[in-house]
Structure formats: C-alpha cells, structure tokens
C-alpha cells in the first residue's frame, strides 16, 4: 500500500509524518518509520509504514549522475531533466512499494521557472497506485514565515499571494489525481502552534487505514 502525503515547502508535511509515526510507535500501534523495520514492531492487525521522501530519491539519483550538489537545485533544472529524474525515482519507489507499505512524502506540484510541474503525472500514478492523498496545508503567512526561518534549505522567497496560488494549484491537481486513481483526498491543516492536532489527525487516519476502516 502506498499513501501520498503532499504539502508545499513550508507546510510541514515531513514534520507531520515524522511526528505521527513517532506517536504511533510510542503508543504501541505497531507502525514503523524508515529507521525501524515494519516487521520489528508490527502488532496484530496493524500495518507498518515506511516514510519515504520523493525528493530524497530524486536527489540521490541527481547526485549520482553529477547533475546537482544540493536538493534545492533540482527544481531549477531543465524541464526534461527534472522529468527524467522524476521518472527514475518513481520506478524505484514503485519497486519498493511492492515490498512494504509506504508513506510517500512529496509535492502535488513543484514550482519551477517554467511553471507548475505535476509531482505525480498520470504515468507515475499508474505505477504507484496510491490508496489515499493527504494534503498538509497552512496559511500563506505561516508558510512564508517558516520558509524564511529555515536555514537548512534554500527555500524560495515568495509573497503570500503566490503561496496562495500554489496551494490552490495543489488542491486542484489533487482532485485530478483522485479522478485518475479513484483514491480520496484528505486535507489536514498544520497551523502554527497546532502541530499536535495535525499529528493526531494523521496518526488516526493511518490507524483507520491499517484497520481497513477507511
Ligand atoms: P523536498 O525536500 O520534499 O522539498 O524535495 C526536494 C526536491 O525534490 C523538490 O524541491 C523538487 O525539486 C523535487 N521533488 C520532490 N518530489 C517531486 C515530485 N513528485 N516530482 C518532481 N520533483 C519532486
Ligand atoms: Mg518535506
């Protein structure tokens, strides 16, 4: 099974995933993150999920091929180069998803110099066959502030209006993804000071899915 969790840079998708898996591990729900094999902690009826970041897989490929030095250079590469790496990464992820349950941390669209690039074009959706799309959202002013305080990345500086446009594009394309796959779209809000609420909501969703009640 593969679940897509998408959020624009600064929405906090990676943080919500990490915190939810930690919460489930600590509460003995039998979920696992990348650092603990699914089989090690799986309890009766529960399903282990591995947290996999699409950007990590793309960066690994681009690094091996000597195309970039940092992950934030990927979205500035020529269109066809990005699409080629995207396809290679998709094949790797699809192969992994045959063996284990995956939470795929990625973006609905990537903002590039030549426009919004679909993170999951039809060919990728067919290969990955997601069960559910989860969108992690925050207010544009929260995203702008989080980006400006993130020293670990070369985040794009964008005004609130363009962040709002990007988030609207992500919502729109997520419903196209839903149409192409039949999988539903769940929106989880991750506002400042409310990470615990977002984490709990996502953890409960994973529990329901593992019990096959979603
Ligand atoms: P992240 O750390 O999630 O922001 O990912 C790093 C970079 O990987 C992004 O800035 C994009 O250039 C690229 N990336 C991640 N997911 C996708 C995707 N589904 N399609 C194309 N590029 C992606
Ligand atoms: Mg992330």
């Amino acid at each position: 099974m593969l679940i897509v969790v998408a959020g624009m840079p600064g929405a906090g998708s990676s943080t919500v995933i990490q915190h939810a898996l930690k919460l489930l591990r600590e509460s003995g729900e039998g979920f696992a993150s990348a650092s603990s094999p699914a089989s090690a902690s799986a309890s009766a009826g529960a399903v282990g999920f591995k947290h996999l970041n699409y950007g990590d897989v793309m960066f690994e490929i681009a690094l091996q091929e000597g195309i970039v030095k940092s992950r934030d250079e990927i979205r500035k590469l020529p269109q066809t180069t990005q699409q080629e790496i995207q396809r290679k990464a998709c094949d790797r992820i699809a192969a992994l998803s045959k063996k284990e349950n995956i939470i795929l941390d990625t973006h609905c669209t990537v903002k590039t110099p030549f426009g919004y690039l679909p993170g999951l074009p039809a060919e990728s959706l067919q290969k990955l066959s997601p069960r559910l799309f989860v969108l992690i959202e925050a207010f544009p002013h929260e995203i702008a502030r989080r980006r400006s305080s993130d020293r670990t990345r070369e985040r794009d500086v964008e005004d609130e209006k363009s962040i709002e446009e990007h988030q609207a594009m992500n919502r729109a394309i997520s419903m196209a993804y839903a149409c192409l796959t039949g999988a539903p779209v769940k929106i989880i809000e991750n506002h400042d000071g409310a990470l615990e609420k977002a984490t709990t909501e996502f953890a409960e969703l994973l529990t329901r899915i593992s019990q096959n009640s979603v």
Side-chain angles (χ1 to χ4, degrees):
M1 187 202 311
L2 182 140
I3 294 168
V4 170
V5 179
M8 62 187 296
S13 54
S14 306
T15 310
V16 171
I17 297 169
Q18 281 160 9
H19 282 239
L21 288 174
K22 185 165 176 275
L23 185 73
L24 290 167
R25 267 198 313 278
E26 287 170 358
S27 67
E29 288 282 350
F31 289 87
S33 72
S35 54
S36 56
S39 55
S41 58
S43 61
V47 181
F49 280 97
K50 178 177 176 158
H51 178 187
L52 190 64
N53 188 303
Y54 206 122
D56 283 350
V57 183
M58 285 188 63
F59 183 40
E60 204 179 290
I61 293 168
L63 207 55
Q64 272 167 5
E65 297 186 4
I67 303 172
V68 296
K69 288 196 181 70
S70 95
R71 61 194 298 132
D72 288 307
E73 290 171 44
I74 304 172
R75 64 179 177 275
K76 288 157 189 152
L77 290 169
Q79 181 187 344
T80 49
T81 312
Q82 286 190 53
Q83 286 167 320
E84 202 178 307
I85 305 168
Q86 184 188 50
R87 241 188 323 271
K88 287 181 185 168
C90 177
D91 289 342
R92 278 197 198 175
I93 296 163
L96 286 173
S97 74
K98 302 272 181 291
K99 290 181 258 167
E100 50 197 332
N101 296 311
I102 286 176
I103 295 173
L104 185 57
D105 182 355
T106 188
H107 305 290
C108 279
T109 64
V110 178
K111 200 165 197 169
T112 73
F114 40 86
Y116 292 105
L117 181 80
L120 298 164
E123 189 193 340
S124 303
L125 289 173
Q126 207 185 357
K127 287 178 186 165
L128 298 173
S129 183
R131 162 83 182 269
L132 174 70
F133 296 94
V134 180
L135 303 193
I136 306 294
E137 294 191 346
F139 295 131
H141 72 269
E142 293 173 325
I143 289 175
R145 196 202 43 76
R146 289 174 195 172
R147 282 188 191 176
S148 64
S149 58
D150 184 355
R151 299 269 166 261
T152 67
R153 298 285 300 264
E154 282 174 46
R155 302 287 202 195
D156 291 335
V157 178
E158 276 187 274
D159 59 27
E160 289 178 25
K161 202 165 176 302
S162 61
I163 290 174
E164 198 176 328
E165 178 189 275
H166 191 175
Q167 208 155 235
M169 296 301 268
N170 289 342
R171 278 194 176 194
I173 206 169
S174 73
M175 287 319 296
Y177 294 162
C179 272
L180 287 165
T181 56
V185 175
K186 172 83 178 168
I187 295 176
I188 294 181
E189 294 183 27
N190 179 32
H191 296 301
D192 289 350
L195 173 62
E196 207 180 309
K197 186 169 174 286
T199 298
T200 310
E201 207 180 332
F202 182 51
E204 282 171 359
L205 191 60
L206 289 177
T207 304
R208 288 180 75 108
I209 283 194
S210 78
Q211 292 164 345
N212 214 4
S213 55
V214 161

